[in-house]
Amino acid sequence: QEDMMMLRNGSVHTMRFPDAVVWPSTEDEVAEIVKIAKKEDWCIIPFGGGTNVSHATWCPSKDDDPRIIISVDMKKMNKILWVNEEDGVAHVEAGITGIDLVAEMTRRGLTVGHEPDSLEFSTLGGWVATKASGMKRNKYGNIEDIVRELRVVGSDGLLWQHHSDISKINGSASAGSAFGRVSTGMDLCSLMIGSEGCLGIITSVVVKIWPLPECKVFDSAVFPSFGVGVAFMKDVAKMRCAKPASVRLVDNEQFRLGQVMKHDSAGLVKKLESKIMKYRGALFFGMTVSSVVGVTLCYEGTRKEVNSQTEDIRLLCKKHGGLLAGPVAGRAGYDLTYAIAY
């Protein structure tokens, strides 16, 4: 929003922009760029999808850093180098966007399970550098739980750990593997996750992969107030590994925005209001459109797992005076999350 406001009010000219932008397509090219930058004393800013909210890709003022600034856009490095289904890992170049990674894995009947709000534009390398969290972290974890190994170009050359060269097995780009955990020494992954591009340029990542779930179900629930919704979420957190893949509480403003953005929004709002008012004098007393909050739910797993989780959630909704609102609202609310990010 801040970037958009600067464009609209004409103050964008006060910002400093990179002196040059380069688009490397190989790890060797990244290494050469860093080598030249070190020799010439240039400042390098790695760039993924540009969706960060921490101003990490903004150029410092000339007073703070008078050096030439080079923006290294990684989006041409977007290949899947190998996939090892038996060990459940894949080696992927850091510039691939989330939406392309999902498409490529889906085509293979697999998933990485990481779906941040910025999935459409953000990149794998950006996820690692910003320590990203995804909407399905209950099931698959955050990015630090998904990354197994990575390769980084630092100021003195290429860095990797555990394997002599995870990009080449026996001299070819055949499928390799990755260590799950090593107890001795410093961990390069832990060093680079959340580094915001300060310690080097991430060129590729070995990530965990899973088979696509047998069953995927959306649902939603409404509660009388935000406080009640929070109490429900606290109980969901106690379910531990039995939690749905995604459970997201939205306040009244976001809830109403989601209703308006649906197809036939006017009709849906009236139907919801009618349903709420129907139960107002009984179990759901006090639930009004002006105070109601929503919870979007996404279940993934085997049919047995999903059935068990939906029953547990139904009982929790009943405990907190909530009302299940169905899969249509659940899917719409889940998809709305992507729009809210922009």
Side-chain angles (χ1 to χ4, degrees):
Q1 292 92 335
E2 186 175 354
D3 294 344
M4 293 170 63
M5 183 59 68
M6 293 179 73
L7 285 170
R8 290 179 177 178
N9 64 22
S11 62
V12 70
H13 70 276
T14 62
M15 291 184 63
R16 184 183 179 187
F17 294 96
D19 297 289
V21 179
V22 293
W23 287 269
S25 55
T26 67
E27 189 177 76
D28 289 341
E29 289 180 358
V30 175
E32 188 64 21
I33 291 167
V34 173
K35 180 180 178 181
I36 295 171
K38 181 180 179 181
K39 178 182 177 182
E40 300 294 337
D41 194 27
W42 296 341
C43 171
I44 291 179
I45 299 179
F47 188 90
T51 60
N52 74 90
V53 293
S54 61
H55 297 168
T57 56
W58 280 22
C59 298
S61 68
K62 286 195 173 183
D63 291 335
D64 293 329
D65 194 334
R67 296 178 298 169
I68 289 174
I69 294 179
I70 309 296
S71 177
V72 182
D73 193 317
M74 297 295 291
K75 283 193 285 292
K76 282 191 173 184
M77 294 186 63
N78 58 2
K79 302 181 188 67
I80 295 178
L81 300 176
W82 49 255
V83 175
N84 184 336
E85 293 188 40
E86 182 177 358
D87 290 347
V89 288
H91 188 196
V92 186
E93 289 186 323
I96 193 169
T97 60
I99 198 165
D100 287 342
L101 180 58
V102 168
E104 286 295 320
M105 288 293 123
T106 301
R107 187 171 61 83
R108 293 169 166 83
L110 302 167
T111 180
V112 174
H114 189 67
E115 290 189 8
D117 298 352
S118 57
L119 180 73
E120 184 178 359
F121 300 111
S122 58
T123 63
L124 175 58
W127 297 347
V128 176
T130 60
K131 203 173 186 179
S133 181
M135 291 190 286
K136 297 178 183 176
R137 51 96 43 208
N138 289 347
K139 185 173 181 66
Y140 302 101
N142 290 319
I143 194 65
E144 63 268 25
D145 305 304
I146 296 170
V147 172
R148 276 290 168 259
E149 295 187 19
L150 46 74
R151 290 169 68 88
V152 181
V153 174
S155 58
D156 288 324
L158 188 62
L159 300 172
W160 67 90
Q161 197 171 21
H162 306 323
H163 283 92
S164 60
D165 191 339
I166 59 174
S167 69
K168 295 178 181 178
I169 306 298
N170 296 325
S172 64
S174 57
S177 190
F179 288 94
R181 182 176 182 272
V182 177
S183 60
T184 56
M186 293 184 63
D187 179 17
L188 181 61
C189 289
S190 297
L191 190 66
M192 296 307 302
I193 292 172
S195 61
E196 297 280 359
C198 293
L199 304 177
I201 299 178
I202 300 164
T203 57
S204 62
V205 185
V206 177
V207 294
K208 292 199 287 187
I209 55 174
W210 292 264
L212 286 172
E214 172 190 330
C215 182
K216 182 174 182 177
V217 175
F218 290 95
D219 204 352
S220 59
V222 290
F223 294 93
S225 66
F226 192 76
V228 176
V230 170
F232 167 79
M233 295 292 284
K234 286 181 177 180
D235 275 352
V236 171
K238 295 173 185 176
M239 294 171 65
R240 296 188 179 275
C241 61
K243 294 192 294 288
S246 176
V247 187
R248 190 170 186 126
L249 173 67
V250 296
D251 62 21
N252 183 257
E253 288 186 0
Q254 286 192 357
F255 175 79
R256 285 185 289 161
L257 174 64
Q259 298 299 316
V260 169
M261 291 180 70
K262 289 181 185 176
H263 297 296
D264 189 26
S265 58
L268 283 169
V269 171
K270 288 182 179 178
K271 288 176 185 176
L272 179 62
E273 187 171 14
S274 175
K275 196 170 186 179
I276 291 173
M277 295 303 290
K278 178 181 177 182
Y279 294 99
R280 188 178 179 187
L283 183 60
F284 305 104
F285 179 81
M287 191 182 293
T288 65
V289 171
S290 61
S291 65
V292 69
V293 297
V295 171
T296 60
L297 300 152
C298 177
Y299 304 91
E300 285 191 4
T302 65
R303 173 61 65 180
K304 184 177 180 180
E305 287 173 333
V306 170
N307 287 343
S308 175
Q309 290 172 1
T310 53
E311 177 60 17
D312 290 343
I313 292 295
R314 184 188 69 80
L315 293 175
L316 283 181
C317 281
K318 184 177 180 180
K319 172 185 174 181
H320 292 280
L323 174 66
L324 288 173
V328 174
R331 179 59 189 263
Y334 190 88
D335 290 344
L336 177 65
T337 307
Y338 299 122
I340 290 172
Y342 299 103

